Amino acid sequence: MILYIDSSVFLRFLLRHPNSLNIVKEEHEFASSELLKLECQRALIRYRLNQEIYDMGFLELTEACLDLLSRINLLKINSEVMELASRNWGVVLGSLDSIHLASALHIQKEKKTRLKFLTHDKALYTAARISNFEVVGVDSK
């Protein structure tokens, strides 16, 4: 099974937050949008500029980030994904989350297999469930 991973799951794992999904132990194929790389690199830069991490921490996290990213198949954002991302998902969903959802749908269609969607974002969880994905990472209560 292919697991689609969004930045909320990736960053929580990378930053060792409590209740993060252990994505290293999973023996599945991982996929995401190339947007994941941008979001994660920008987050690390933001943490460094806000002095939430310092030089050595930034370097260590950047290396760990690139290592983890190398294990994920990243879909290039194309016009089909962008067109799909512009649709109404039935919930208030930001542009970046909409691109993640559209990317997952595109990958599922191209690979002709079901994807499991990993997110900690409640709005994205709802949109992914509406789109018939099995979703892991958000308590549905």
Side-chain angles (χ1 to χ4, degrees):
M1 172 175 281
I2 299 174
L3 304 178
Y4 186 93
I5 183 170
D6 83 337
S7 58
S8 67
V9 169
F10 187 96
L11 284 168
R12 273 196 196 182
F13 178 79
L14 181 68
L15 299 171
R16 298 179 189 103
H17 283 213
N19 302 320
S20 64
L21 298 175
N22 189 345
I23 58 176
V24 170
K25 284 190 175 183
E26 293 287 343
E27 295 186 11
H28 297 287
E29 179 181 348
F30 285 99
S32 192
S33 166
E34 66 182 342
L35 179 61
L36 178 68
K37 183 176 182 180
L38 170 68
E39 288 179 300
C40 294
Q41 289 175 323
R42 295 302 309 163
L44 292 179
I45 291 167
R46 188 173 56 251
Y47 293 144
R48 175 62 190 104
L49 293 176
N50 288 334
Q51 297 183 349
E52 295 175 54
I53 56 175
Y54 295 96
D55 291 341
M56 288 308 295
F58 177 76
L59 290 173
E60 289 170 6
L61 285 170
T62 298
E63 288 174 357
C65 178
L66 293 174
D67 179 58
L68 280 173
L69 285 168
S70 72
R71 303 176 197 187
I72 301 170
N73 296 319
L74 298 177
L75 174 72
K76 293 219 177 281
I77 300 170
N78 59 29
S79 58
E80 185 178 336
V81 171
M82 292 301 287
E83 182 66 30
L84 189 56
S86 68
R87 71 185 271 195
N88 180 351
W89 302 107
V91 296
V92 176
L93 198 61
S95 299
L96 300 180
D97 287 341
S98 187
I99 291 170
H100 275 298
L101 186 54
S103 295
L105 288 166
H106 182 79
I107 293 167
Q108 183 170 260
K109 178 183 167 189
E110 290 296 310
K111 298 279 188 177
K112 296 181 173 80
T113 187
R114 299 275 302 151
L115 265 68
K116 186 182 291 186
F117 202 101
L118 280 60
T119 185
H120 292 299
D121 182 276
K122 290 182 181 184
L124 188 50
Y125 166 89
T126 302
R129 289 290 297 132
I130 289 170
S131 300
N132 295 314
F133 284 108
E134 178 183 349
V135 185
V136 176
V138 171
D139 185 2
S140 60
K141 296 176 185 170

